[in-house]
Amino acid sequence: MILEYLKPIGAPFVALKNKIFGVKSTIGNAKIEMKAVKGYGAEAKGYADKAGAMAGTAQGAAQGAADQMSQAAGGAPPPGAPGGPPAINPNPPIRTSGIWVFKKKHCTQCNQELDASWDGCPFCKQAAEQQQAAFAAANKPKAPMKTQAFMLNAGATGGGTMQLLGWIIPMQGPQRGELFTLSPATTIGKDPTCQIVLQDGFMSSKHAEIKAEGGIWVLKDLGSTNGTFVNDQRCEKQELVDNDMIMFGKCLVKFKSL
């Protein structure tokens, strides 16, 4: 009975006690939750660092493949062919280990750990694409070198005369170092009627002709006795490129153009 009468008196103290313990419990739970959040953050950072390292490794592999193939110019064998670099498989088999939450995936080619949701290795796929692109770039056929020059005195309608700037310079003999400017059609020989007269006893009277045709310089032998040579190769008609060496008879000259 007495306890029943004392309950109203002690009720405020009981409520205060419960409130104090409730606050402590809330603070404790908050601390536990904060620790959990920090743990998740650290774990997420670990995954991010691992992903960054994996991406860096894959990028290095791709760059290595590109560097390797960029050195293979001039008809190099393709990746995987005899004498060529090892081909990178863009879709290598995936190895799975562990069970349930401990299950992990690894690429059998680059040994990188893969995300559980991946069915292929994106790193090897990128490296294979880089390798093929580098091989294609290294073995791309180069356009033949053409003589570049200015167009002078061209008519407004395009029907004017195209004049290229070109010279020949004797490399030996009494005329060594002398500069002879080419006209749109220049005959070369020992006959005084030629536009360029070279002092060489092995030259024919009208030995050869250098003519501007379609924006390029073309050398044509005019039936000379001892022939005309470009870079040590005898020719009847030959397109000229800057710095070509020409031999008329026994007279060696260097061709220059702009």
Side-chain angles (χ1 to χ4, degrees):
M1 284 295 288
I2 296 175
L3 293 176
E4 292 294 331
Y5 289 109
L6 292 176
K7 282 183 178 180
I9 298 174
F13 296 99
V14 173
L16 179 60
K17 177 184 177 182
N18 292 337
K19 188 172 183 180
I20 292 172
F21 278 104
V23 170
K24 288 183 177 180
S25 177
T26 302
I27 293 174
N29 292 336
K31 288 182 178 180
I32 292 173
E33 290 177 358
M34 286 298 295
K35 288 182 179 180
V37 169
K38 289 181 179 179
Y40 293 148
E43 186 176 0
K45 185 176 184 299
Y47 284 128
D49 293 341
K50 183 182 289 186
M54 291 164 67
T57 302
Q59 184 178 7
Q63 184 61 45
D67 293 342
Q68 183 182 36
M69 294 308 302
S70 65
Q71 298 172 1
I88 300 175
N89 185 357
N91 190 28
I94 304 302
R95 181 180 69 255
T96 303
S97 61
I99 58 173
W100 197 37
V101 295
F102 303 104
K103 184 182 293 186
K104 293 183 179 180
K105 289 184 176 181
H106 289 83
C107 173
T108 58
Q109 181 169 242
C110 66
N111 295 319
Q112 292 289 348
E113 183 176 347
L114 308 178
D115 187 86
S117 62
W118 295 348
D119 294 326
C121 179
F123 310 114
C124 288
K125 182 178 181 181
Q126 180 184 14
E129 292 175 353
Q130 291 281 354
Q131 185 184 52
Q132 291 298 326
F135 173 77
N139 290 273
K140 183 179 180 181
K142 295 182 179 180
M145 184 177 179
K146 299 291 184 180
T147 301
Q148 300 296 320
F150 297 103
M151 181 188 299
L152 303 176
N153 301 326
T157 59
T161 301
M162 176 179 289
Q163 182 176 351
L164 303 176
L165 300 181
W167 305 266
I168 58 172
I169 306 167
M171 305 300 292
Q172 56 193 19
Q175 295 171 291
R176 178 182 177 182
E178 193 172 343
L179 187 146
F180 295 92
T181 302
L182 299 174
S183 59
T186 304
T187 54
I188 302 164
K190 62 182 181 180
D191 192 297
T193 60
C194 293
Q195 278 82 8
I196 295 179
V197 179
L198 297 177
Q199 301 173 18
D200 181 77
F202 294 89
M203 291 190 67
S204 298
S205 297
K206 293 187 177 180
H207 195 100
E209 179 186 59
I210 298 178
K211 189 176 181 181
E213 294 182 359
I216 59 175
W217 291 106
V218 177
L219 170 67
K220 182 180 179 182
D221 185 86
L222 299 178
S224 64
T225 302
N226 295 309
T228 301
F229 297 77
V230 176
N231 299 324
D232 296 326
Q233 298 293 321
R234 185 163 183 165
C235 61
E236 299 297 325
K237 188 174 183 180
Q238 175 71 39
E239 177 183 334
L240 295 178
V241 176
D242 186 41
N243 289 323
D244 275 346
M245 301 300 293
I246 308 171
M247 178 80 78
F248 302 109
K250 294 295 182 180
C251 181
L252 180 66
V253 302
K254 187 171 187 178
F255 170 78
K256 294 294 296 180
S257 70
L258 292 177

